[in-house]
């Protein structure tokens, strides 16, 4: 299998693996970015209109939105019109030379074009195909459209999020999309491992709703056992009354996770509430849980005497897990986050510069691999189509003239 040329070797555990990325927006591109960070070569295939996330306001670098730039590093971009027979044939040829195809079309869309796993795997039996959709390839909701907030709501997870007595709210990060992307990546890696032994690929069916339901974990188990429907989780934990957030002075907040008896005692000592240690209402976690409505105001009054940052060192010294509720700005400037290289500088040509969050997967004694700026629309169309498929320069120019392929270099001529 002839591999596309990289401008520079990117070492990583998936070096040599080629992925045809037919995804847009968030769940799919997040999955392929994980694979790219691990060294795989990602061919990001877009329609002539481009990934819709490129145009999402409010922040842009050049013509590309910061949303798009946040999830498309380390990829090579190509534009082909799959609605044209010649374009579909080019995509088919590309897929035959890839190890993995990842797409997030609604079920049935690619089938209507005649582009399916069954067709491709006939000539490429080692092909791994991962499909990400809202509700999966089967079931009564198969054909419904879905977005992150829809699956957060339908999964039950949104019903748990927010303050008691108030409306449900979505999670501040798009966990419906992100979890689907991560589960897709896990499935792909498992299929790659199996392929070493069987020499055969797999079709992976990832439903965003499935992923969100799976993440209910203990809340689902509690309901299935007790048949009691959990409600808003507010600022705390269903089982541990000293696992929650507290307001401190000057509009600062912190969270504590005093899970053990020793942590509980340390919390009381730091707050100057030693009498609570022997108070019969609070001597065990079970009793603290039963009497949490009486306990919380006592803790809240104590925390309100100082700012969050003033409490943290004393609580840590006492062995109480604690953390300030950071803003995004605070978190990205945190010395631990900076030390772990979780903020990356990406530099493209000319004025294309941006900063994004980094790769959380670290390998001991391995240097951080080089990261590339997300591709412009069709930036690598020529190198991939000509080098990987052996298309002549003359034929390539004809594809561009006919609108089958978009190449920004050809468009400028």
């Amino acid at each position: 299998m002839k591999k596309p040329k990289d401008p520079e070797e990117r070492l990583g555990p998936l070096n040599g693996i080629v992925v045809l990325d037919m995804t847009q927006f968030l769940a799919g591109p997040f999955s392929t970015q994980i694979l790219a960070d691990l060294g795989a070569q990602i061919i990001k295939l877009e329609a002539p209109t481009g990934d819709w996330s490129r145009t999402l306001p409010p922040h842009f670098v050049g013509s590309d939105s910061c949303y798009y730039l946040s999830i498309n590093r380390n990829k090579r971009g190509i534009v082909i019109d799959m609605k044209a027979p010649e374009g579909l044939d080019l995509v088919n040829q590309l897929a035959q030379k890839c190890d993995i195809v990842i797409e997030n079309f609604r079920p049935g869309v690619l089938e209507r074009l005649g582009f399916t796993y069954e067709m491709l795997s006939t000539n490429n039996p080692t092909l791994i195909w991962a499909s990400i959709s809202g509700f999966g390839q089967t079931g009564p909701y198969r054909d419904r459209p879905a977005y992150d907030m829809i699956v957060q709501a339908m999964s039950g997870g949104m019903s748990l999020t927010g303050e008691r007595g108030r409306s449900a709210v979505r999670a501040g990060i798009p966990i419906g999309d992100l979890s689907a992307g991560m589960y897709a990546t896990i499935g792909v890696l498992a299929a790659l491992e199996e392929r070493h032994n069987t020499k055969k690929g797999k079709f992976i069916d990832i439903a965003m709703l499935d992923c969100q339901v799976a993440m209910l974990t203990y809340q689902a188990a509690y309901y299935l056992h007790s048949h009691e429907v959990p409600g808003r989780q507010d600022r705390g934990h269903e089982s541990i009354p000293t696992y929650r957030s507290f307001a401190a002075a000057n509009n600062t907040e912190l969270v504590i996770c005093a899970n053990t008896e020793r942590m509980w005692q340390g919390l009381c000592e730091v707050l100057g509430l030693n009498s609570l240690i022997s108070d019969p209402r609070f001597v065990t976690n079970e009793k603290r849980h039963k009497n949490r409505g009486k306990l919380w105001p006592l803790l809240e009054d104590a925390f309100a005497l100082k700012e969050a940052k003033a409490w943290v060192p004393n609580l840590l010294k006492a062995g109480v897990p604690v953390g300030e509720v950071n803003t995004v700005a605070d978190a990205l400037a945190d010395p631990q986050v900076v030390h772990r290289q979780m903020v990356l500088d990406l530099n493209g040509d000319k004025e294309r510069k941006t900063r994004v969050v980094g790769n959380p997967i670290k390998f001991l004694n391995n240097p951080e691999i080089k990261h590339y700026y997300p591709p412009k629309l069709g930036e690598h169309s020529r190198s991939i189509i000509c080098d990987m498929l052996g298309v002549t320069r003359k034929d390539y120019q004809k594809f561009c003239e006919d609108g089958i392929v978009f190449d920004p270099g050809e468009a400028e001529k």
Side-chain angles (χ1 to χ4, degrees):
M1 182 184 299
K2 186 177 180 181
K3 308 293 184 182
K5 295 178 181 178
D6 252 332
E8 186 175 330
E9 188 75 9
R10 294 183 64 254
L11 298 179
L14 296 184
N15 185 41
I17 297 295
V18 183
V19 180
L20 181 58
D21 177 3
M22 302 175 68
T23 69
Q24 59 178 328
F25 275 115
L26 184 53
F30 185 68
S31 174
T32 55
Q33 180 169 275
I34 295 172
L35 297 172
D37 281 345
L38 294 174
Q41 292 189 45
I42 309 298
I43 301 172
K44 182 176 179 63
L45 173 65
E46 298 176 75
T49 51
D51 185 329
W52 288 108
S53 72
R54 287 181 181 270
T55 60
L56 286 181
H59 303 294
F60 292 83
V61 179
S63 61
D64 289 325
S65 76
C66 289
Y67 188 111
Y68 165 80
L69 297 175
S70 74
I71 47 173
N72 284 289
R73 66 172 173 264
N74 302 331
K75 302 179 184 179
R76 308 186 70 210
I78 182 172
V79 171
I80 299 176
D81 184 0
M82 288 184 66
K83 294 180 181 179
E86 300 92 336
L88 184 62
D89 181 61
L90 285 175
V91 175
N92 178 58
Q93 292 180 56
L94 274 175
Q96 297 291 354
K97 293 181 177 294
C98 290
D99 299 283
I100 301 161
V101 169
I102 301 182
E103 50 87 8
N104 62 350
F105 288 89
R106 200 182 304 181
V109 171
L110 290 178
E111 186 177 3
R112 288 193 290 272
L113 289 174
F115 188 83
T116 65
Y117 170 73
E118 289 75 18
M119 177 195 75
L120 293 174
S121 62
T122 299
N123 296 320
N124 184 7
T126 63
L127 180 69
I128 295 167
W129 179 306
S131 176
I132 304 171
S133 61
F135 303 102
Q137 302 298 309
T138 61
Y141 300 161
R142 173 184 185 268
D143 296 321
R144 281 195 189 186
Y147 291 92
D148 173 84
M149 189 160 64
I150 291 174
V151 297
Q152 284 197 41
M154 294 180 66
S155 70
M158 194 165 158
S159 75
L160 304 173
T161 307
E163 297 178 333
R164 288 183 174 86
R166 303 190 68 176
S167 297
V169 296
R170 64 180 284 271
I173 58 174
I175 56 175
D177 278 314
L178 299 181
S179 63
M182 286 190 285
Y183 275 114
T185 301
I186 293 168
V188 163
L189 296 176
L192 278 172
E193 176 60 26
E194 183 182 54
R195 193 177 74 172
H196 287 310
N197 300 319
T198 65
K199 310 302 180 186
K200 294 182 179 179
K202 269 277 195 294
F203 183 92
I204 304 164
D205 177 12
I206 299 294
M208 293 170 66
L209 182 61
D210 291 352
C211 298
Q212 285 298 275
V213 170
M215 296 181 80
L216 292 174
T217 57
Y218 70 86
Q219 291 287 7
Y222 286 0
Y223 166 72
L224 293 170
H225 175 77
S226 69
H227 300 291
E228 297 175 2
V229 180
R232 309 282 188 272
Q233 296 302 290
D234 211 299
R235 295 187 289 163
H237 192 285
E238 187 77 14
S239 303
I240 308 167
T242 49
Y243 189 109
R244 56 164 284 177
S245 67
F246 289 92
N250 295 328
N251 295 316
T252 60
E253 293 180 90
L254 76 168
V255 295
I256 59 165
C257 301
N259 297 349
T260 68
E261 290 305 310
R262 181 67 196 92
M263 291 174 186
W264 157 249
Q265 293 166 15
L267 174 64
C268 292
E269 291 165 1
V270 171
L271 294 179
L273 299 174
N274 297 60
S275 62
L276 299 187
I277 296 174
S278 58
D279 189 314
R281 297 173 297 175
F282 310 129
V283 291
T284 66
N285 185 64
E286 289 75 17
K287 291 188 175 182
R288 292 192 290 276
H289 185 267
K290 180 180 178 181
N291 296 299
R292 58 192 182 277
K294 297 176 180 178
L295 173 62
W296 287 338
L298 300 174
L299 300 179
E300 288 166 351
D301 287 346
F303 275 120
L305 298 176
K306 299 178 183 179
E307 290 188 6
K309 64 182 178 181
W311 288 114
V312 169
N314 290 333
L315 287 167
L316 289 175
K317 186 176 180 180
V320 181
V322 60
E324 293 181 62
V325 179
N326 284 332
T327 65
V328 172
D330 293 333
L332 296 180
D334 188 283
Q336 179 68 19
V337 173
V338 174
H339 173 80
R340 297 284 293 177
Q341 294 182 293
M342 285 307 298
V343 176
L344 297 178
D345 292 303
L346 298 180
N347 298 302
D349 59 9
K350 298 181 180 178
E351 300 303 316
R352 294 197 300 162
K353 299 179 185 296
T354 193
R355 303 179 77 204
V356 297
V357 293
N359 176 18
I361 303 172
K362 314 293 185 184
F363 295 97
L364 187 63
N365 299 326
N366 276 29
E368 186 84 4
I369 65 174
K370 180 178 176 62
H371 295 286
Y372 295 106
Y373 197 90
K376 291 186 289 189
L377 185 64
E379 182 174 355
H380 305 101
S381 293
R382 180 188 304 164
S383 61
I384 291 172
I385 291 175
C386 293
D387 294 346
M388 193 172 179
L389 301 184
V391 172
T392 65
R393 179 65 183 274
K394 181 179 180 181
D395 287 341
Y396 177 78
Q397 289 178 327
K398 183 68 164 55
F399 283 137
C400 292
E401 291 169 1
D402 293 343
I404 306 301
V405 172
F406 174 73
D407 180 328
E410 292 291 328
E412 291 174 0
K413 292 180 179 180

